[in-house]
Amino acid sequence: MPVISAPHAFNESQLYVDLRPIFGRSLYLKCEGFNFAGSIKLKAATEMVETAEREGVLKPDSILVESSSGNLGVALSMIAASKGYRFLCVTDSRCNLSTRLLMEALGSEVHIIADLDANGGFLGARIDYVRALCDSDDRYVWLSQYTNPGNWKAHYRKTAPEIAQRFPQLDVLFVGAGTTGTLMGCARYFREWHRPVRIIAVDSVGSVIFGGAPGRRMIPGLGMSMRPPLLDESYVDEVIHVEETDAIRACHRLARRGFLFGGSTGTVVSGAMRWLAENDMRDVTAVAIAPDLGERYLDTIYQTNWLHDLYGDNVLDPDEPGEDSWAADAAPTRSRGGRPHLGTGDKEGSPRHRHRDRE
């Protein structure tokens, strides 16, 4: 067991959960929540802060400011407290109460945006607020997770090599899409690897990352109300869109087996199980990334009144469409380059599931 003096020095990176006993299909879930920040965002936060320090952007009197729906804000709060910086997190009303309280407990200031932007989301309004702060006082330093290359480089240097070390015969990797830092870092790494790996991006219905129609999204973490500047779709083989109700059912199914994960993990697992059911490939080695754990979602996706108010009384009904109804209804086909892709379960270009051939 290591002895550390800074909280970001510890991050358990090689813990996986075999989901076959729970879902009946082989999928290894890489757990990224076992660090003092509680999520995969610790990697990006550390990379961006340390790069800003090396380049002289961060000074002793600097005030870090960032737009975040939660997990990056917690990671930056922890690092700022450790390094002696002030930090202001600009979030919105979807941010879980426990996440907000955690940032404040770490000494950070939290500003909540309540008004929707022109796209029907909060992101544009959050970014406008951050820009106004930076224009008003040059002590503010905005790391900008949406454009900062350190966001994806952290996963190119750490997350993807960790997976490659544990699964040298990896066939498919499922990655949730938000800022797309994790997605782009892992995709770039495996594009250069010694064998082909199919990269499946998992997004929320209502997100516009890959050009879908905007819609209501109540679970923070995945999805965006604008196209992420970091995204390069040429690295992505397929895109799966997951309804929030399916993500919630996946979370509760995991919880019934003793694994409490967050909403982003439920989204990724739901999408991965759908893909595996529709492709039905034998002996495939598949990994999905779980960004965080579930304690911060106790007052939302694990709270009955919250669920029923937003999604109706039958949201957890096993007879409703969800992961229990998934079935493999087609043999896999091959894309250009001889690599397996989606069967005929969903039509190409549908809002729920699309495949992409690399150019």
Side-chain angles (χ1 to χ4, degrees):
M1 183 62 66
V3 176
I4 63 172
S5 57
H8 53 281
F10 172 76
N11 191 3
E12 172 54 59
S13 62
Q14 288 292 1
L15 178 64
Y16 295 82
V17 177
D18 182 357
L19 296 185
R20 181 183 287 276
I22 302 175
F23 290 91
R25 296 185 184 275
S26 179
L27 179 68
Y28 298 99
L29 189 62
K30 187 180 194 303
C31 301
E32 289 282 350
F34 291 97
N35 55 59
F36 283 98
S39 81
I40 196 171
K41 290 292 189 178
L42 176 62
K43 292 175 175 175
T46 302
E47 179 77 21
M48 291 189 295
V49 168
E50 292 183 347
T51 299
E53 288 177 329
R54 287 194 302 269
E55 294 176 350
V57 175
L58 273 175
K59 301 176 176 62
D61 65 340
S62 294
I63 306 171
L64 280 168
V65 61
E66 186 57 83
S67 161
S68 170
S69 61
N71 283 335
L72 183 71
V74 172
L76 287 173
S77 294
M78 186 192 77
I79 293 172
S82 174
K83 291 176 172 286
Y85 296 116
R86 292 172 59 190
F87 172 56
L88 168 62
C89 181
V90 180
T91 187
D92 59 63
S93 55
R94 294 175 305 171
C95 180
N96 297 327
L97 175 62
S98 57
T99 300
R100 199 159 71 233
L101 294 175
L102 180 53
M103 288 189 281
E104 291 172 346
L106 290 167
S108 297
E109 181 182 349
V110 180
H111 179 82
I112 301 171
I113 298 293
D115 296 328
L116 296 174
D117 58 29
N119 294 323
F122 294 99
L123 182 56
R126 283 174 13 198
I127 291 176
D128 287 345
Y129 186 86
V130 171
R131 286 176 173 154
L133 278 179
C134 293
D135 289 342
S136 68
D137 190 333
D138 59 10
R139 291 178 301 167
Y140 284 104
V141 174
W142 181 25
L143 297 176
S144 183
Q145 62 168 323
Y146 311 107
T147 59
N148 194 321
N151 190 347
W152 68 261
K153 287 180 180 178
H155 304 289
Y156 180 90
R157 294 169 178 167
K158 295 182 178 180
T159 308
E162 290 161 2
I163 297 170
Q165 178 184 1
R166 179 63 181 81
F167 297 96
Q169 298 302 313
L170 180 67
D171 296 303
V172 185
L173 179 64
F174 299 93
V175 188
T179 64
T180 68
T182 307
L183 175 64
M184 288 293 96
C186 291
R188 283 185 166 91
Y189 179 90
F190 284 111
R191 175 68 68 87
E192 301 168 1
W193 209 33
H194 68 92
R195 67 191 306 273
V197 174
R198 182 158 289 276
I199 303 297
I200 312 293
V202 183
D203 195 9
S204 300
V205 170
S207 166
V208 304
I209 291 175
F210 297 98
R216 185 189 76 166
R217 293 180 293 111
M218 300 304 298
I219 301 175
L222 297 187
M224 293 249 296
S225 56
M226 70 176 192
R227 179 183 173 86
L230 295 178
L231 176 63
D232 182 342
E233 292 188 62
S234 68
Y235 288 95
V236 179
D237 292 298
E238 301 183 37
V239 179
I240 301 173
H241 286 89
V242 175
E243 296 279 359
E244 288 192 330
T245 50
D246 288 336
I248 290 165
R249 291 184 186 112
C251 285
H252 281 259
R253 186 165 177 172
L254 286 161
R256 289 195 299 268
R257 299 297 292 271
F259 294 104
L260 195 71
F261 284 104
S264 297
T265 298
T267 304
V268 174
V269 168
S270 177
M273 287 300 165
R274 183 182 302 279
W275 190 94
L276 292 169
E278 290 169 348
N279 285 269
D280 196 28
M281 291 188 292
R282 306 302 181 193
D283 301 320
V284 64
T285 299
V287 171
I289 297 175
D292 60 4
L293 301 178
E295 290 91 340
R296 294 172 191 171
Y297 301 82
L298 292 177
D299 58 344
T300 54
I301 63 175
Y302 294 107
Q303 212 281 329
T304 302
N305 290 338
W306 188 87
L307 289 176
H308 289 178
D309 287 346
L310 290 174
Y311 304 102
D313 293 343
N314 297 322
V315 61
L316 298 179
D317 189 339
D319 294 329
E320 291 291 308
E323 74 275 3
D324 290 324
S325 67
W326 299 339
D329 57 0
T333 56
R334 311 294 289 187
S335 66
R336 287 181 293 179
R339 299 177 63 186
H341 66 72
L342 176 67
T344 58
D346 279 7
K347 294 180 181 179
E348 177 184 354
S350 76
R352 291 181 61 83
H353 200 154
R354 296 180 291 156
H355 78 268
R356 300 181 180 277
D357 287 329
R358 290 175 176 164
E359 298 299 324

